[in-house]
Amino acid sequence: MLFRFSGIGGIGSWRDAAEFILLGCGTVQVCTAAMHYGYRIVEDMQDGLLAWMTEKGFATIEDFRGLSLPNVREWKHLNLNYKVVATIHQDLCIGCQLCYTACWDGAHQCIHLDRTSPVPDTTRTPAMVEAEATRNISPTPIPKLDAGTLGRSSAVTPTRAYPSRG
């Protein structure tokens, strides 16, 4: 039986598409990146993939589809204690909040917009910290998400544009 796989999830550049094809995918699907950057991203992916293929000497996608499969390992052979910790460089941050959105949507909840320091301040009481955080948080533009509007959620949108790990 012949299986055809379609690469989905996190494809935002031609490099991502190439990696999925190298792992054997017959197609790749782009959704969130197109919503975020517009449909032009697909043309950029096509141009980048074609340039990369030309540089590598591949005439067709079939020339490189699945070439990375010999490097794939079963999960039991992976170092499950290996951890990657993101670092947010405040001086390079442009305030787009994509890291915050990705972190929360990915169920990690380790990036917070209402904190100003990566090191906890032990000189203030929790009540003092809460009072300060409350001043830095504003209601979302979608009323149903804010506390007190329909009683559905206590979610609020911070006004600070720069995230911090916490």
Short mmCIF file of all heavy atoms in Angstrom, two decimals, residues 80-119:
data_model
loop_
_atom_site.label_atom_id
_atom_site.label_comp_id
_atom_site.label_asym_id
_atom_site.label_seq_id
_atom_site.Cartn_x
_atom_site.Cartn_y
_atom_site.Cartn_z
N LEU A 80 15.12 12.61 25.73
CA LEU A 80 13.90 13.24 26.21
C LEU A 80 14.15 14.26 27.31
O LEU A 80 13.22 14.98 27.71
CB LEU A 80 12.91 12.17 26.68
CG LEU A 80 12.49 11.17 25.60
CD1 LEU A 80 11.53 10.14 26.17
CD2 LEU A 80 11.88 11.87 24.41
N ASN A 81 15.37 14.35 27.80
CA ASN A 81 15.71 15.35 28.81
C ASN A 81 16.24 16.64 28.19
O ASN A 81 16.49 17.60 28.90
CB ASN A 81 16.75 14.79 29.79
CG ASN A 81 16.18 13.66 30.61
OD1 ASN A 81 15.04 13.73 31.06
ND2 ASN A 81 16.95 12.62 30.80
N TYR A 82 16.43 16.65 26.88
CA TYR A 82 16.93 17.84 26.19
C TYR A 82 15.88 18.93 26.24
O TYR A 82 14.71 18.70 25.94
CB TYR A 82 17.26 17.50 24.74
CG TYR A 82 17.82 18.64 23.95
CD1 TYR A 82 19.15 19.02 24.10
CD2 TYR A 82 17.04 19.36 23.06
CE1 TYR A 82 19.67 20.07 23.37
CE2 TYR A 82 17.55 20.40 22.33
CZ TYR A 82 18.86 20.75 22.50
OH TYR A 82 19.38 21.81 21.77
N LYS A 83 16.27 20.12 26.64
CA LYS A 83 15.33 21.23 26.75
C LYS A 83 15.86 22.43 25.98
O LYS A 83 17.06 22.70 25.98
CB LYS A 83 15.11 21.63 28.21
CG LYS A 83 14.40 20.56 29.00
CD LYS A 83 14.10 21.01 30.39
CE LYS A 83 13.43 19.86 31.12
NZ LYS A 83 12.96 20.22 32.42
N VAL A 84 14.95 23.13 25.38
CA VAL A 84 15.28 24.38 24.70
C VAL A 84 14.50 25.47 25.42
O VAL A 84 13.30 25.35 25.63
CB VAL A 84 14.86 24.34 23.22
CG1 VAL A 84 15.13 25.67 22.56
CG2 VAL A 84 15.61 23.24 22.49
N VAL A 85 15.19 26.51 25.82
CA VAL A 85 14.55 27.62 26.52
C VAL A 85 14.72 28.87 25.67
O VAL A 85 15.83 29.25 25.32
CB VAL A 85 15.17 27.83 27.92
CG1 VAL A 85 14.51 29.00 28.62
CG2 VAL A 85 15.04 26.56 28.75
N ALA A 86 13.61 29.47 25.33
CA ALA A 86 13.63 30.68 24.52
C ALA A 86 14.14 31.86 25.34
O ALA A 86 13.89 31.96 26.54
CB ALA A 86 12.24 30.98 23.99
N THR A 87 14.84 32.75 24.68
CA THR A 87 15.29 33.98 25.30
C THR A 87 14.72 35.14 24.50
O THR A 87 14.82 35.16 23.28
CB THR A 87 16.83 34.07 25.30
OG1 THR A 87 17.35 32.94 25.99
CG2 THR A 87 17.31 35.35 25.96
N ILE A 88 14.12 36.07 25.19
CA ILE A 88 13.57 37.25 24.53
C ILE A 88 14.57 38.39 24.70
O ILE A 88 14.90 38.77 25.81
CB ILE A 88 12.20 37.62 25.12
CG1 ILE A 88 11.23 36.47 24.90
CG2 ILE A 88 11.70 38.93 24.50
CD1 ILE A 88 9.94 36.61 25.64
N HIS A 89 15.07 38.90 23.59
CA HIS A 89 16.01 40.00 23.61
C HIS A 89 15.22 41.31 23.54
O HIS A 89 14.72 41.70 22.48
CB HIS A 89 16.99 39.91 22.44
CG HIS A 89 17.82 38.68 22.47
ND1 HIS A 89 18.92 38.56 23.27
CD2 HIS A 89 17.69 37.50 21.81
CE1 HIS A 89 19.45 37.37 23.11
NE2 HIS A 89 18.72 36.70 22.23
N GLN A 90 15.07 41.97 24.68
CA GLN A 90 14.26 43.19 24.74
C GLN A 90 14.72 44.25 23.76
O GLN A 90 13.91 44.97 23.19
CB GLN A 90 14.26 43.76 26.17
CG GLN A 90 13.66 42.84 27.20
CD GLN A 90 12.15 42.68 27.06
OE1 GLN A 90 11.48 43.49 26.44
NE2 GLN A 90 11.62 41.62 27.64
N ASP A 91 16.04 44.35 23.52
CA ASP A 91 16.53 45.38 22.62
C ASP A 91 16.23 45.07 21.15
O ASP A 91 16.25 45.95 20.31
CB ASP A 91 18.03 45.60 22.82
CG ASP A 91 18.84 44.32 22.70
OD1 ASP A 91 18.32 43.25 23.05
OD2 ASP A 91 20.00 44.40 22.26
N LEU A 92 15.92 43.81 20.83
CA LEU A 92 15.59 43.43 19.46
C LEU A 92 14.08 43.27 19.25
O LEU A 92 13.61 43.20 18.12
CB LEU A 92 16.27 42.11 19.09
CG LEU A 92 17.79 42.10 19.13
CD1 LEU A 92 18.32 40.72 18.82
CD2 LEU A 92 18.36 43.13 18.16
N CYS A 93 13.33 43.23 20.33
CA CYS A 93 11.89 43.01 20.27
C CYS A 93 11.20 44.21 19.61
O CYS A 93 11.47 45.36 19.96
CB CYS A 93 11.33 42.80 21.67
SG CYS A 93 9.55 42.53 21.71
N ILE A 94 10.34 43.93 18.62
CA ILE A 94 9.62 45.00 17.93
C ILE A 94 8.20 45.15 18.46
O ILE A 94 7.43 45.96 17.96
CB ILE A 94 9.59 44.78 16.41
CG1 ILE A 94 8.88 43.47 16.07
CG2 ILE A 94 11.00 44.82 15.84
CD1 ILE A 94 8.59 43.29 14.59
N GLY A 95 7.83 44.33 19.45
CA GLY A 95 6.52 44.45 20.07
C GLY A 95 5.39 43.84 19.27
O GLY A 95 4.22 44.18 19.50
N CYS A 96 5.67 42.92 18.36
CA CYS A 96 4.61 42.33 17.54
C CYS A 96 3.77 41.31 18.31
O CYS A 96 2.67 40.98 17.90
CB CYS A 96 5.20 41.66 16.31
SG CYS A 96 6.17 40.16 16.66
N GLN A 97 4.29 40.80 19.40
CA GLN A 97 3.62 39.87 20.30
C GLN A 97 3.37 38.50 19.68
O GLN A 97 2.58 37.71 20.19
CB GLN A 97 2.32 40.45 20.84
CG GLN A 97 2.53 41.71 21.63
CD GLN A 97 1.24 42.30 22.17
OE1 GLN A 97 0.20 41.69 22.12
NE2 GLN A 97 1.33 43.50 22.71
N LEU A 98 4.05 38.17 18.57
CA LEU A 98 3.87 36.85 17.97
C LEU A 98 4.39 35.75 18.89
O LEU A 98 3.81 34.66 18.95
CB LEU A 98 4.58 36.77 16.62
CG LEU A 98 3.92 37.53 15.48
CD1 LEU A 98 4.77 37.44 14.22
CD2 LEU A 98 2.51 37.03 15.22
N CYS A 99 5.45 36.02 19.63
CA CYS A 99 5.97 35.01 20.56
C CYS A 99 4.95 34.72 21.65
O CYS A 99 4.72 33.56 22.03
CB CYS A 99 7.31 35.43 21.14
SG CYS A 99 7.25 36.96 22.11
N TYR A 100 4.29 35.76 22.13
CA TYR A 100 3.27 35.61 23.15
C TYR A 100 2.10 34.79 22.63
O TYR A 100 1.64 33.84 23.26
CB TYR A 100 2.80 37.00 23.60
CG TYR A 100 1.59 37.00 24.50
CD1 TYR A 100 1.71 36.67 25.85
CD2 TYR A 100 0.34 37.32 24.01
CE1 TYR A 100 0.60 36.67 26.68
CE2 TYR A 100 -0.77 37.32 24.83
CZ TYR A 100 -0.64 37.00 26.17
OH TYR A 100 -1.73 36.99 26.98
N THR A 101 1.63 35.13 21.45
CA THR A 101 0.50 34.42 20.86
C THR A 101 0.83 32.96 20.63
O THR A 101 0.05 32.06 20.98
CB THR A 101 0.08 35.08 19.53
OG1 THR A 101 -0.26 36.44 19.79
CG2 THR A 101 -1.09 34.36 18.90
N ALA A 102 1.99 32.70 20.04
CA ALA A 102 2.39 31.32 19.77
C ALA A 102 2.55 30.53 21.06
O ALA A 102 2.16 29.37 21.14
CB ALA A 102 3.69 31.30 18.97
N CYS A 103 3.10 31.15 22.08
CA CYS A 103 3.31 30.48 23.36
C CYS A 103 1.98 30.10 24.00
O CYS A 103 1.79 28.98 24.46
CB CYS A 103 4.13 31.37 24.28
SG CYS A 103 4.48 30.62 25.88
N TRP A 104 1.04 31.03 24.02
CA TRP A 104 -0.25 30.75 24.65
C TRP A 104 -1.09 29.81 23.81
O TRP A 104 -1.74 28.91 24.35
CB TRP A 104 -0.98 32.05 24.95
CG TRP A 104 -0.45 32.64 26.22
CD1 TRP A 104 0.70 33.37 26.34
CD2 TRP A 104 -0.98 32.49 27.52
NE1 TRP A 104 0.90 33.69 27.66
CE2 TRP A 104 -0.11 33.18 28.41
CE3 TRP A 104 -2.10 31.88 28.03
CZ2 TRP A 104 -0.34 33.24 29.76
CZ3 TRP A 104 -2.34 31.94 29.39
CH2 TRP A 104 -1.46 32.62 30.25
N ASP A 105 -1.07 29.98 22.49
CA ASP A 105 -1.85 29.08 21.64
C ASP A 105 -1.26 27.68 21.62
O ASP A 105 -1.97 26.71 21.38
CB ASP A 105 -1.92 29.63 20.20
CG ASP A 105 -2.80 30.85 20.10
OD1 ASP A 105 -3.48 31.19 21.09
OD2 ASP A 105 -2.82 31.46 19.02
N GLY A 106 0.04 27.57 21.88
CA GLY A 106 0.70 26.27 21.91
C GLY A 106 0.62 25.60 23.26
O GLY A 106 1.26 24.59 23.50
N ALA A 107 -0.16 26.15 24.17
CA ALA A 107 -0.42 25.58 25.50
C ALA A 107 0.80 25.60 26.42
O ALA A 107 0.93 24.75 27.29
CB ALA A 107 -0.99 24.17 25.39
N HIS A 108 1.68 26.57 26.23
CA HIS A 108 2.84 26.65 27.12
C HIS A 108 2.65 27.67 28.23
O HIS A 108 3.05 27.47 29.34
CB HIS A 108 4.11 26.97 26.31
CG HIS A 108 4.40 25.95 25.27
ND1 HIS A 108 4.84 24.69 25.57
CD2 HIS A 108 4.29 26.00 23.93
CE1 HIS A 108 5.00 24.00 24.45
NE2 HIS A 108 4.67 24.77 23.44
N GLN A 109 2.07 28.80 27.92
CA GLN A 109 1.79 29.88 28.87
C GLN A 109 3.00 30.28 29.72
O GLN A 109 2.89 30.48 30.92
CB GLN A 109 0.61 29.51 29.79
CG GLN A 109 -0.71 29.45 29.09
CD GLN A 109 -0.99 28.11 28.47
OE1 GLN A 109 -0.59 27.10 28.98
NE2 GLN A 109 -1.67 28.09 27.35
N CYS A 110 4.15 30.41 29.07
CA CYS A 110 5.33 30.81 29.83
C CYS A 110 5.79 32.22 29.48
O CYS A 110 6.71 32.73 30.09
CB CYS A 110 6.47 29.81 29.63
SG CYS A 110 7.01 29.67 27.93
N ILE A 111 5.17 32.86 28.51
CA ILE A 111 5.49 34.24 28.17
C ILE A 111 4.33 35.11 28.63
O ILE A 111 3.17 34.82 28.34
CB ILE A 111 5.73 34.42 26.66
CG1 ILE A 111 6.95 33.60 26.23
CG2 ILE A 111 5.91 35.89 26.32
CD1 ILE A 111 7.22 33.65 24.74
N HIS A 112 4.66 36.15 29.37
CA HIS A 112 3.63 37.03 29.93
C HIS A 112 3.90 38.46 29.50
O HIS A 112 5.04 38.90 29.49
CB HIS A 112 3.63 36.94 31.46
CG HIS A 112 3.42 35.54 31.94
ND1 HIS A 112 2.17 35.01 32.13
CD2 HIS A 112 4.30 34.56 32.23
CE1 HIS A 112 2.29 33.76 32.54
NE2 HIS A 112 3.56 33.46 32.60
N LEU A 113 2.86 39.17 29.18
CA LEU A 113 3.01 40.56 28.76
C LEU A 113 2.89 41.54 29.91
O LEU A 113 3.16 42.71 29.75
CB LEU A 113 1.95 40.91 27.70
CG LEU A 113 2.09 40.15 26.38
CD1 LEU A 113 0.96 40.54 25.45
CD2 LEU A 113 3.43 40.43 25.74
N ASP A 114 2.50 41.07 31.08
CA ASP A 114 2.29 41.98 32.19
C ASP A 114 3.45 41.98 33.18
O ASP A 114 3.34 42.51 34.27
CB ASP A 114 0.98 41.67 32.91
CG ASP A 114 0.96 40.25 33.46
OD1 ASP A 114 1.81 39.44 33.05
OD2 ASP A 114 0.10 39.97 34.29
N ARG A 115 4.56 41.39 32.79
CA ARG A 115 5.74 41.38 33.67
C ARG A 115 6.83 42.22 33.03
O ARG A 115 7.01 42.21 31.83
CB ARG A 115 6.22 39.95 33.87
CG ARG A 115 5.15 39.13 34.57
CD ARG A 115 5.66 37.78 34.91
NE ARG A 115 4.55 37.02 35.47
CZ ARG A 115 4.54 35.73 35.60
NH1 ARG A 115 5.58 35.04 35.25
NH2 ARG A 115 3.51 35.11 36.11
N THR A 116 7.56 42.92 33.85
CA THR A 116 8.59 43.82 33.32
C THR A 116 9.99 43.35 33.60
O THR A 116 10.93 43.93 33.12
CB THR A 116 8.40 45.24 33.91
OG1 THR A 116 8.50 45.15 35.33
CG2 THR A 116 7.07 45.82 33.50
N SER A 117 10.15 42.32 34.39
CA SER A 117 11.49 41.85 34.74
C SER A 117 11.52 40.33 34.74
O SER A 117 10.61 39.69 35.25
CB SER A 117 11.88 42.37 36.13
OG SER A 117 13.09 41.79 36.55
N PRO A 118 12.60 39.73 34.17
CA PRO A 118 12.70 38.27 34.19
C PRO A 118 13.02 37.73 35.58
O PRO A 118 12.81 36.56 35.86
CB PRO A 118 13.82 37.98 33.21
CG PRO A 118 14.64 39.22 33.18
CD PRO A 118 13.68 40.35 33.45
N VAL A 119 13.50 38.58 36.46
CA VAL A 119 13.84 38.17 37.82
C VAL A 119 12.77 38.70 38.77
O VAL A 119 12.47 39.88 38.78
CB VAL A 119 15.23 38.72 38.23
CG1 VAL A 119 15.57 38.30 39.64
CG2 VAL A 119 16.29 38.26 37.25
#
